[in-house]
Amino acid sequence: MELGDNEKSPLFPKKENEPVKLKRTVGVLSASALVFGSCVGAGIFISPKGVYEKAGSPGAGLMVWCLSGVIATLCTLAYAELGTMMPQSGGEFVYIHRVYGDCLAFIFSFCNTLLIKPASLSVVAVLFGEYLCNMIWGPATNDLIVKAVAVALIVTLGLINIVGVNVIAKVCTVISVLKLAVVGFLVACGIAIVIKGQGVVTNFQLSLSFEGSSTNPADYGLAFYYCLFTFQSWNSLNYMTEELKTPEKTLPLGGFIGLTGVTLSYFLCNVAYLMMFSLHQIVDTNTIAMDSGFIAFGRAGEITMSLGLLVSCLGCLGGAICCISRNIQSTAETGIFPSFLSGINKTFQTPIKAIITVVLTMSVYVLVDANMLIPFLSTVEWLFYCVTFSTILYLRYKEPNSKRPFKVPLFVSVFLFLITGTFVVLPLFSEESRVTTLLGLCWIPLGAVFYGIRHLIARYLVKQNAVSGIL
């Protein structure tokens, strides 16, 4: 297939004259709240341990957090160039499909919508269930009850997404305000500890804060993995470009404001952690936010931080379901996924079938425990980011005169292409992560196998005059 010859996939015939389209209802404020709400999830309460363990010192760890914020912000601005040039919903699928064709686009959507996103988000849903059950019934809650709560949460957020993107945007706006309050409370915990004279001031002394910093590049690669995991929804708006008001303005501005808020919030959270804990204490705990609340304000502080984590999970999952469903809808609209998934409901004007698919997939991962898959899938995610940044470079070369309402400097796109490629390769130099990295990359040929099987079956059915748009 020639590059760009992707108007209609041979896998599943595309529905013609689709009667209902997505409505443009999301403005800059709502877009910023969606990015902020989708990014600030449970990660900031979990990832500090891994970041500081790999960085080796408070100063190096804090630098990784700051640089990750800069990288994520540059990523969202570079994606804004693609999104305003190709203003269709679907995120990376749209851009990969245009440049590399059906096969790679299918592999991306296969990995992203059926593996990477639902598996990682199911872990967030289970975390929500664990903390909620712990608050109500104590830590000895039956695992089945925890999973039932997680599935109930996913179904509820799916129903909210079905009602309309404007509803989920408003929910994310409210949750974003609550998350800012949580960040403020965490900073207050740090200040309270310092006032009590129990703060760890050595973490902020330049002569001591970088002592013990790792000299192994692979360690920093893993530190960035942990850190950027907390920014992983920086590309949310590209999945719903068709629902943005004036996308040439809303896409870059909403992404920039949202990521700036996320970066500042994470910086303040980490400063608060470093006020209260030594490096070894941060590395040794899995519940750093709750520990922060407890040592500052006792049981009341611990409960407050637990509630903050629950709120963070809500916003993260709600926005993510919205984004993944648009990826499925866009892929199905081209005929690469079964076309019945592309329908837009006339009443709510949302892709109900795609949303239901996301809810079902995430629920399955909750029930089978997806924790073991996460280390394998991060590599694949970064590989596709690298591929997507390569499409910017390709289109700059092949289509220099194409309309680009928003454009980043070329060196930014080159830098992001190189840095994301580095994040894929660096873990190979660490004995700890080499095997999981290689296993993660195995999902690529697996997706190619599924593409080949579906393609052969579809061609056979075409010959038999038995294809009607659904495999």
Side-chain angles (χ1 to χ4, degrees):
M1 178 177 288
E2 294 294 320
L3 291 178
D5 185 21
N6 302 311
E7 292 299 320
K8 188 173 179 180
S9 167
L11 284 180
F12 300 101
K14 178 183 174 182
K15 287 184 177 180
E16 303 295 339
N17 302 318
E18 183 67 53
V20 184
K21 296 295 182 182
L22 297 167
K23 288 186 66 176
R24 297 191 181 277
T25 59
V26 180
V28 173
L29 178 61
S30 296
S32 303
L34 273 167
V35 172
F36 184 87
S38 298
C39 283
V40 182
I44 188 59
F45 304 126
I46 301 171
S47 293
K49 173 180 178 176
V51 174
Y52 289 104
E53 182 179 18
K54 296 303 176 185
S57 71
L62 194 58
M63 284 188 65
V64 168
W65 280 100
C66 293
L67 289 173
S68 294
V70 173
I71 291 171
T73 303
L74 291 176
C75 285
T76 198
L77 291 176
Y79 265 46
E81 176 179 332
L82 290 169
T84 54
M85 183 183 180
M86 294 169 272
Q88 294 88 40
S89 296
E92 291 89 350
F93 166 79
V94 176
Y95 321 134
I96 293 173
H97 186 241
R98 175 163 172 172
V99 172
Y100 295 111
D102 286 348
C103 183
L104 193 56
F106 173 90
I107 294 172
F108 165 75
S109 287
F110 169 80
C111 293
N112 192 55
T113 63
L114 299 179
L115 295 168
I116 299 173
K117 295 298 185 184
S120 58
L121 290 166
S122 69
V123 175
V124 177
V126 170
L127 188 67
F128 177 95
E130 288 175 346
Y131 273 89
L132 183 62
C133 291
N134 183 44
M135 290 175 63
I136 297 174
W137 296 295
T141 306
N142 187 285
D143 188 51
L144 288 177
I145 297 177
V146 170
K147 291 185 175 183
V149 171
V151 171
L153 172 66
I154 292 169
V155 172
T156 301
L157 292 173
L159 291 173
I160 294 174
N161 269 278
I162 285 174
V163 172
V165 68
N166 57 328
V167 177
I168 197 64
K170 290 176 181 177
V171 170
C172 282
T173 300
V174 173
I175 288 177
S176 294
V177 173
L178 294 174
K179 288 181 179 182
L180 285 172
V182 173
V183 172
F185 180 76
L186 187 56
V187 173
C189 290
I191 294 173
I193 292 299
V194 171
I195 291 174
K196 291 179 180 179
Q198 301 171 359
V200 186
V201 295
T202 55
N203 287 337
F204 299 96
Q205 295 176 357
L206 287 177
S207 59
L208 299 175
S209 61
F210 286 90
E211 271 191 9
S213 298
S214 175
T215 56
N216 183 356
D219 284 339
Y220 286 101
L222 291 172
F224 275 105
Y225 257 42
Y226 287 117
C227 197
L228 287 165
F229 170 77
T230 66
F231 289 90
Q232 67 173 336
S233 294
W234 52 263
N235 55 349
S236 299
L237 299 183
N238 290 77
Y239 283 88
M240 47 189 298
T241 310
E242 292 176 50
E243 295 164 276
L244 302 178
K245 298 176 183 177
T246 56
E248 63 275 9
K249 170 188 174 183
T250 303
L251 193 53
L253 191 56
F256 178 77
I257 294 173
L259 261 298
T260 300
V262 173
T263 303
L264 181 59
S265 297
Y266 286 174
F267 175 77
L268 291 174
C269 287
N270 277 277
V271 168
Y273 292 147
L274 292 172
M275 285 180 181
M276 294 181 278
F277 303 103
S278 67
L279 178 71
H280 296 297
Q281 288 173 319
I282 293 174
V283 170
D284 289 341
T285 181
N286 291 315
T287 56
I288 188 168
M290 277 52 71
D291 294 346
S292 302
F294 182 78
I295 65 172
F297 300 107
R299 178 61 177 164
E302 184 180 29
I303 292 174
T304 301
M305 290 311 305
S306 296
L307 290 172
L309 184 142
L310 296 180
V311 169
S312 296
C313 290
L314 282 173
C316 174
L317 290 169
I321 290 173
C322 177
C323 295
I324 303 170
S325 64
R326 271 57 178 181
N327 186 184
I328 293 175
Q329 190 267 339
S330 178
T331 309
E333 199 171 55
T334 64
I336 293 179
F337 274 5
S339 59
F340 72 85
L341 293 173
S342 67
I344 305 297
N345 180 266
K346 293 182 179 180
T347 303
F348 299 112
Q349 295 183 314
T350 53
I352 289 183
K353 294 174 183 176
I355 293 171
I356 292 173
T357 302
V358 176
V359 169
L360 291 175
T361 306
M362 288 177 62
S363 298
V364 169
Y365 279 117
V366 166
L367 297 176
V368 301
D369 190 2
N371 273 297
M372 59 180 292
L373 293 173
I374 304 304
F376 306 133
L377 301 180
S378 296
T379 303
V380 183
E381 188 172 29
W382 281 107
L383 177 61
F384 280 116
Y385 288 151
C386 183
V387 170
T388 303
F389 288 122
S390 76
T391 66
I392 300 179
L393 304 179
Y394 176 86
L395 292 170
R396 288 282 189 97
Y397 174 73
K398 295 293 289 187
E399 302 179 25
N401 298 319
S402 293
K403 184 179 179 181
R404 292 175 173 84
F406 179 84
K407 186 165 69 171
V408 297
L410 182 60
F411 75 86
V412 172
S413 299
V414 172
F415 167 74
L416 294 174
F417 171 72
L418 294 174
I419 198 69
T420 50
T422 302
F423 288 156
V424 175
V425 174
L426 266 182
L428 293 173
F429 294 94
S430 169
E431 292 185 8
E432 177 185 349
S433 58
R434 185 178 299 130
V435 174
T436 56
T437 300
L438 292 173
L439 288 174
L441 293 173
C442 289
W443 290 109
I444 305 299
L446 179 63
V449 168
F450 273 92
Y451 174 84
I453 293 172
R454 287 175 175 273
H455 189 68
L456 290 173
I457 293 174
R459 290 185 63 181
Y460 172 78
L461 291 175
V462 168
K463 291 180 181 179
Q464 300 298 318
N465 296 317
V467 68
S468 61
I470 308 173
L471 188 62

